[in-house]
Structures are given as structure tokens and as C-alpha cells.
Amino acid sequence: RDVAERVEQEERIARLTRIYRILSGINSAIVRIHDRDALFEEVCRIAVEDGGFGIVWIGLYNHETRELVPVACGGVDAESIVAKRRGVPLRFELPLGMVARTIQNKQVTYSNDLPAEPAVGDGARPEALRRGYHSGIVLPLIIEDQLAGTMTLYTKESGFFNDEEIKLLDELASDVAFALDHIAKEEKLNYLAYYDQLTGIANRTLFGLQLEQRLTASRREKKRPFFVAIFNLERFRNVNETLGRQASDKLLQQVAQRLKDAAGETGLLARVGGDHFAVSFLRNEDAGRVVHFVEGMMAAVFDPPFEAGATQLRLSARAGVAVYPADGEDADSLYRNVEAALRSAKSSGYRLHFYAPQMNATLKRTLLLENKLRAALEKQQFVMHYQPKVDLATGALCGLEGLIRWNDPDGGLISPQEFIPLLEETGMIVEAGRWAFHQALGDLQEWFRLGLQPPRVSVNVSAVQFRREDFVRSVREAIAASGSEKLGLDLEITESIIMEDIEDNIAKLRAFKDMGIGIHVDDFGTGYSSLSYLAKLPVSTLKIDQSFVRNMVTASESMTIISIIISLAHSLDLVVVAEGVETEDQAKYLRLLKCNAAQGDLYGKPLPADEVARMLRAPRRALSA
């Protein structure tokens, strides 16, 4: 009996020593580890290596969903039993197992005879039994009288747990819960130090650090340009005084969300003051495009009304902008200069002000042109001119390309190169494009009414128009409004636009083909067409880009490319039109290569509709030079 008692006492001391080693190791880990996930992994490792437990795992409890989510585990068997469940919520059914009872009672639950426990739940107990484990304990992690999670330990020894071990393990769970609480509070303090509590976006401190990182990256990339802007909500104090703090807070949250949507994943965004927001974007573009980008962002954020309770409210803002590296080569000077630009915007009355004078000059020109273009749409100052397409075999007129022109009262007839890019950036190209369809169809209808026989007319389509979901419907409506579906309308769409979303675009092109509309692939040879897709496209014509035609007589590679395009097109039963033909030598070589048609200054510049009518009345003659 004395020997048996001595052996039992030695075993007891050995078990307690193991528990003390766990306590010591875990307390040491708590002091040096301040990351929750890393701490949990270390706790599990210590319990396995120092405590001799075969399976250890920790789960966090979600009070809203009433689910336990395994987040860490230790032990060879745990890697095969619990690791696959990591991050997957556990749900519990009656009768309750040990883990479920611990969650329900917030008290330690243990068993020295696991095979006698009820076979319930989707926990690790059944797998532990198959691997020869006989004792298990579930410890609650309690923070401020709320269950935060559980820690489960299994051993292969029967009858392992007694009051002494349970007391020490309960103390261990309290230490882990204390550390978890400390980490959570530390994370909250860090969050408050770097994030705006109301909107959830970065605060001025974090924005400054992010700006430093962006400066470092830009210096590595040979001072890659980026800009910083600060938006100031106008008269927001009046909103606060009129609607109250709660309503104004909700408005600030809406502003932050819209700016966040506009900033996307690459833009930096912060709330840097009560009614001040800062953004930064990488823009490797000319001054005019940066100007319009900021203008467009302000319009997207502040033009739509905001919700203020049961009413809608409109907010306006002013912005100052500075550009790296021209306006400052370090974060402090850049931020100081953008604040100076904002003060200038407030004092000058402009909605947007750049720190650099030349940017403001560009801004003024851009805004002036944009306002004039809006007026041009309203006052119908746009006109359509038509450039002849000529059959190279006969020299006869075989088509017309409709080209939009702006008849500016101040500057006369303006080339599309000067205003089409701005129409696209502002989205006004949609309205201008719709006008172009109606105008071309109207001119066709008028020519037929006069007893003339006009050829088919093609109209250019911009990327902005073609990407719209309602584009097919808008063209169909324009044809219906013309009163005839057989006027002879074609669309000119660049190769690169068609290839953007090929499957969706093929469906659009088929819809146009069903309407009797021909599709001309414009600027062919400059995009990225796959020949396998080209065969599937429901197109009628390929237009050789003028950059190849311009050099075809002097550059053998251009001649080769043109020859290949013509052969390819003819093998697919497509018509080929060469653009930008200016000399008789170019026309001669194109005829030798069997190109179908050509257009360019050699055959005539774009003409207004009335001159086209006179040309159609004239006796038929070849248009070649």
C-alpha cells in the first residue's frame, strides 16, 4: 500500500508540474506577444509540448449567431481533427456535449471517461476517442462576465483531472482571457489612434503615414506623379445647427462612403478635420486630365442629393489640390501646399483650386470648354459632316462616314480632336452620340425625300456609348423615330472596344445585325484582335488604320500588314476600306492589293449635308483624283 501511495503521489506531482509548466510558459507568452492569433497558437503549442496534452484547441464565441469558431489548435492529432474546422462555425444540438455545456453555463466542464460521454455535436470528441483519448476538459474564457471563447484539452490518460489540476487550468484560462481582453483594448486604442471613429476611414495621422509611404514608392519609380486633394464641405456648420448632431453625423458618413467608392482600392482617403476630407491618387497624366478627374470625382460625390432623415439635402464642397513632385517633395510641404490651395479656393470663389498656377490656367480652360460644350448640346450647335467612301475599282461613291463637328459661335467650326475627348470624360458623349444617330438618320431621310439615292452612312461609336447597357435600345429608338428601318445606317466601332468584353459585345453586334445595321471595325490593325474571335464577329467591314496607309509607299512592313489584312478580310467575306488615303500612289497600291474602298483627302474632305445633296444630284462620275 505504501508503494502504491508513493507512486500515486509521484504521478500527482508530475501532473501538477506539467500544469505549472503550462502556466509559466503561457504567462511568459502573454507578456511578449501582443497579437491575438499569434498568442493563441503559442498557447496551444505550450499546452502540447510542455503540458503533454495530445489535442488542444481554442474557439471564439459569437453571441449574435451563437456559434463557436475554432481559431487555433495544437498537437499532431489536432492538425487532422481540428485544423480543417478552423474558421468554420460549430453548431450544437441536444443533448449537449462538454463544449456546449461550457458555453451554456460559463463554467469548466470535464470528463475523466470520454467514452461514457454522449455522442453529440460536431466537435472533436468522436475523433479523439478513435485515437485513444480518455480524458478531456473545456475551459471558458470569460471577459467582464461575458463568454469570449473556450479552450479544450484532451489527454490519453484516464482519470487525469482532479480538483487541483482543474483549479490550475481554470487559472490558466483566466490568464488567457485577461490577455485577450488586453489585446482587444490595445487594438481599439490603435484603431482610435489611426482611424476616424465616426466614418471608419483613416484619420489625419494615418493619412500622413500613408502619404510618406506613397512618397517613398514614387521616389523609387523616378518621382512618379500623384496628387493630393482636400475637400471642405461648405456651410456644414449651418447643417449641424439646423438639423442637429445626429443628422450631421449621418451626412458625414454618407460623404465618407461616396468618397470611399470614388477612391476605390488604389486611392488614399481620410477625414482630416470636422468637415475636411483628404484623398490621394496616382495619376501619371497631363494637367488637363488631372483637373477633370478631380472635377468628375466632386460631381460624383456631391451632385446627387444626400439623405437627411425624411428629406433630401444637397451639399457642396471646395477643394484644394497639390501635385507631387512639382508642389512639394516631402509629405509636410505637400500637405501644407494643398491646404494653401484650399484657402485660395475659398477666397477666390472657385470650386477647385490648384497650388500650381499653370494647373489653374488649365483648369479654367477645361471648365470653360466643358461649359461651352454643355451649351452647344442645349443650343444644337453640333453639325454632321460626311466624308465620301469610294469604290477603288470604279471610283464611284459607295458610302459616307458621318463626322460630328462643333459650330462654335466664337471660334467657328472646331475639329473633333479638340472636343471629343472632353465629351467622353464628362459623359456628354452619350447625349452627343444620340444626337449624331438621329441627325444621320434625319439627313438620310431628307436625301431620300429629295429623290436622291444616297449610299449607306456610318456613324462612329465611342467606348462610353458602347459600354452602356441601354446602347442597343437607344439605337433602335433612333431608327424607330426616323420612320424607316431601311435608311442604310452602319456603325463604326474601334477594334480595341470590341475586344474589351468579347462575349457580351458579340451579342450586341448580333442585335445590330438583326436590325440591318452593318458593323465596321475601325482602326483595324492597332488593337489586339484574336483571329479566332474575328471569324465569330458579326461584322461587315474592316477599316485599315491610316497609320499603315500613310507609310505604305515608303515602309515595306506597312505594305505587308495591309496586304495581310486585305487577304484575311476577303477570306472572311468582309469588305476592306482604307482610311486616310491622300496620294494617288497610295490609291494605286491599294487597288493592286484588291482593297475594296478608300476614303481620305484624295477623294474629298467631309462635307455638310446640303453639299452632299448637291454631290448626289450631280451626274455619276468617278471621285478619284
Side-chain angles (χ1 to χ4, degrees):
R1 189 172 62 247
D2 290 343
V3 172
E5 288 177 354
R6 188 168 61 250
V7 170
E8 182 180 345
Q9 183 68 9
E10 288 174 353
E11 290 178 349
R12 172 179 165 274
I13 293 171
R15 289 201 302 268
L16 288 175
T17 301
R18 286 164 56 185
I19 304 299
Y20 277 119
R21 280 203 303 268
I22 296 175
L23 274 169
S24 176
I26 287 176
N27 283 327
S28 175
I30 287 171
V31 171
R32 72 177 190 274
I33 299 175
H34 300 279
D35 177 78
R36 186 189 65 184
D37 293 339
L39 177 63
F40 285 165
E41 293 291 347
E42 182 67 2
V43 166
C44 292
R45 186 194 67 78
I46 291 170
V48 171
E49 295 182 5
D50 294 345
F53 289 98
I55 299 173
V56 182
W57 67 276
I58 295 174
L60 292 180
Y61 186 65
N62 187 320
H63 286 269
E64 292 183 3
T65 62
R66 303 179 73 177
E67 295 172 338
L68 186 72
V69 181
V71 294
C73 65
V76 174
D77 290 327
E79 288 300 319
S80 59
I81 297 173
V82 183
K84 61 184 178 182
R85 300 172 181 267
R86 192 176 310 196
V88 179
L90 302 179
R91 297 175 178 85
F92 306 102
E93 301 174 356
L94 294 174
L96 298 178
M98 289 197 303
V99 174
R101 295 202 302 273
T102 298
I103 292 172
Q104 185 181 60
N105 302 321
K106 294 191 292 187
Q107 294 178 352
V108 175
T109 304
Y110 72 96
S111 174
N112 284 321
D113 186 11
L114 285 177
E117 283 289 309
V120 297
D122 58 356
R125 192 194 68 86
E127 293 292 337
L129 285 174
R130 276 194 282 274
R131 286 167 170 79
Y133 289 89
H134 292 87
S135 297
I137 190 168
V138 182
L139 308 170
L141 305 178
I142 306 293
I143 298 176
E144 296 180 356
D145 201 36
Q146 288 288 319
L147 182 79
T150 63
M151 181 175 176
T152 303
L153 305 96
Y154 289 103
T155 179
K156 292 187 176 181
E157 300 165 76
S158 298
F160 181 85
F161 301 104
N162 59 32
D163 291 344
E164 287 180 293
E165 281 96 21
I166 292 170
K167 183 179 179 180
L168 289 174
L169 288 171
D170 194 22
E171 183 181 333
L172 180 152
S174 297
D175 291 344
V176 173
F178 171 81
L180 182 60
D181 183 38
H182 178 74
I183 290 172
K185 288 176 178 176
E186 193 174 60
E187 288 175 346
K188 185 175 182 181
L189 287 174
N190 288 335
Y191 176 83
L192 293 176
Y194 293 109
Y195 289 90
D196 177 56
Q197 195 169 6
L198 176 65
T199 62
I201 62 176
N203 61 15
R204 181 167 179 166
T205 302
L206 181 56
F207 187 74
L209 294 173
Q210 292 173 330
L211 210 54
E212 289 283 5
Q213 291 174 345
R214 177 154 286 181
L215 280 161
T216 301
S218 292
R219 291 189 190 105
R220 285 199 301 267
E221 299 177 26
K222 298 181 180 180
K223 295 187 176 180
R224 182 185 179 187
F226 66 86
F227 73 83
V228 182
I230 297 180
F231 300 108
N232 172 222
L233 306 183
E234 290 194 276
R235 297 181 296 278
F236 193 73
R237 181 179 298 177
N238 296 341
V239 175
N240 202 354
E241 293 173 353
T242 304
L243 300 178
R245 181 65 176 270
Q246 187 175 4
S248 61
D249 283 353
K250 288 183 178 178
L251 285 172
L252 288 171
Q253 290 169 342
Q254 290 178 60
V255 171
Q257 185 58 52
R258 290 189 188 181
L259 284 169
K260 188 176 181 180
D261 293 340
E265 295 182 0
T266 58
L268 303 180
L269 170 65
R271 185 184 177 203
V272 294
D275 54 3
H276 286 64
F277 294 85
V279 297
S280 176
F281 284 92
L282 293 167
R283 303 294 293 186
N284 193 15
E285 299 171 340
D286 59 58
R289 290 186 177 272
V290 171
V291 166
H292 197 74
F293 180 86
V294 181
E295 268 285 313
M297 184 176 184
M298 293 181 73
V301 173
F302 297 107
D303 284 0
F306 291 85
E307 298 295 330
T311 62
Q312 290 189 329
L313 182 70
R314 292 191 178 274
L315 295 178
S316 58
R318 296 188 188 278
V321 184
V323 180
Y324 171 83
D327 300 334
E329 296 200 7
D330 60 80
D332 288 340
S333 60
L334 195 61
Y335 196 88
R336 186 167 59 249
N337 290 339
V338 76
E339 287 183 315
L342 178 60
R343 288 194 295 273
S344 297
K346 292 178 181 178
S347 60
S348 65
Y350 287 111
R351 189 183 186 196
L352 175 62
H353 206 274
F354 280 78
Y355 182 75
Q358 65 270 25
M359 292 289 280
N360 289 314
T362 303
L363 170 64
K364 290 176 184 178
R365 288 195 299 271
T366 302
L367 295 180
L368 177 61
L369 180 58
E370 182 178 337
N371 290 333
K372 291 185 71 174
L373 283 171
R374 293 189 189 280
L377 281 169
E378 294 172 1
K379 298 176 182 179
Q380 297 185 347
Q381 294 173 357
F382 290 111
V383 295
M384 285 291 281
H385 284 195
Y386 299 89
Q387 186 169 40
K389 298 177 185 178
V390 174
D391 187 311
L392 281 170
T394 65
L397 179 69
C398 64
L400 296 166
E401 180 181 355
L403 300 166
I404 190 170
R405 296 289 186 266
W406 176 20
N407 193 7
D408 181 15
D410 300 321
L413 209 60
I414 297 179
S415 169
Q417 285 81 5
E418 296 185 36
F419 64 88
I420 291 294
L422 189 55
L423 285 178
E424 291 181 331
E425 289 175 19
T426 58
M428 287 189 283
I429 191 67
V430 175
E431 186 177 349
R434 190 180 297 116
W435 172 87
F437 287 129
H438 285 276
Q439 187 63 42
L441 289 165
D443 288 339
L444 273 167
Q445 192 174 41
E446 176 64 13
W447 293 329
F448 278 115
R449 190 189 66 80
L450 294 172
L452 305 173
Q453 296 297 317
R456 297 183 70 87
V457 172
S458 61
V459 177
N460 288 281
V461 176
S462 79
V464 178
Q465 290 172 276
F466 194 67
R467 293 182 189 126
R468 287 177 64 93
E469 293 182 2
D470 64 347
F471 179 58
V472 175
R473 186 178 72 248
S474 67
V475 175
R476 186 179 286 114
E477 289 172 351
I479 293 173
S482 70
S484 174
E485 296 183 359
K486 298 182 179 179
L487 291 177
L489 178 71
D490 296 332
L491 302 182
E492 297 207 4
I493 307 171
T494 64
E495 176 187 11
S496 57
I497 296 173
I498 292 175
M499 300 306 296
E500 279 181 358
D501 186 355
I502 189 68
E503 296 299 337
D504 184 56
N505 290 345
I506 286 176
K508 287 183 180 179
L509 298 180
R510 284 177 179 154
F512 289 127
K513 185 177 181 180
D514 293 341
M515 287 185 242
I517 295 174
I519 302 296
H520 298 190
V521 182
D522 204 5
D523 301 337
F524 189 79
T526 61
Y528 308 96
S529 286
S530 163
L531 296 183
S532 61
Y533 273 117
L534 184 60
K536 299 177 184 178
L537 293 175
V539 300
S540 57
T541 302
L542 297 186
K543 298 190 73 176
I544 301 174
D545 186 69
Q546 59 183 337
S547 62
F548 299 119
V549 174
R550 186 183 303 118
N551 301 319
M552 65 180 295
V553 177
T554 57
S556 59
E557 61 270 18
S558 292
M559 184 78 77
T560 301
I561 291 171
I562 291 174
S563 176
I564 292 172
I565 291 174
I566 293 172
S567 298
L568 173 66
H570 288 168
S571 69
L572 297 173
D573 293 325
L574 301 177
V575 174
V576 186
V577 178
E579 295 183 286
V581 179
E582 297 178 349
T583 68
E584 185 56 51
D585 281 345
Q586 292 169 347
K588 180 180 69 176
Y589 282 114
L590 288 167
R591 281 192 291 270
L592 288 173
L593 294 172
K594 306 299 182 183
C595 184
N596 300 100
Q599 69 180 96
D601 289 350
L602 181 64
Y603 304 105
K605 294 183 180 295
L607 303 171
D610 56 346
E611 292 189 31
V612 172
R614 283 196 289 274
M615 180 180 68
L616 293 173
R617 286 194 190 95
R620 290 284 177 178
R621 62 182 179 83
L623 294 181
S624 58

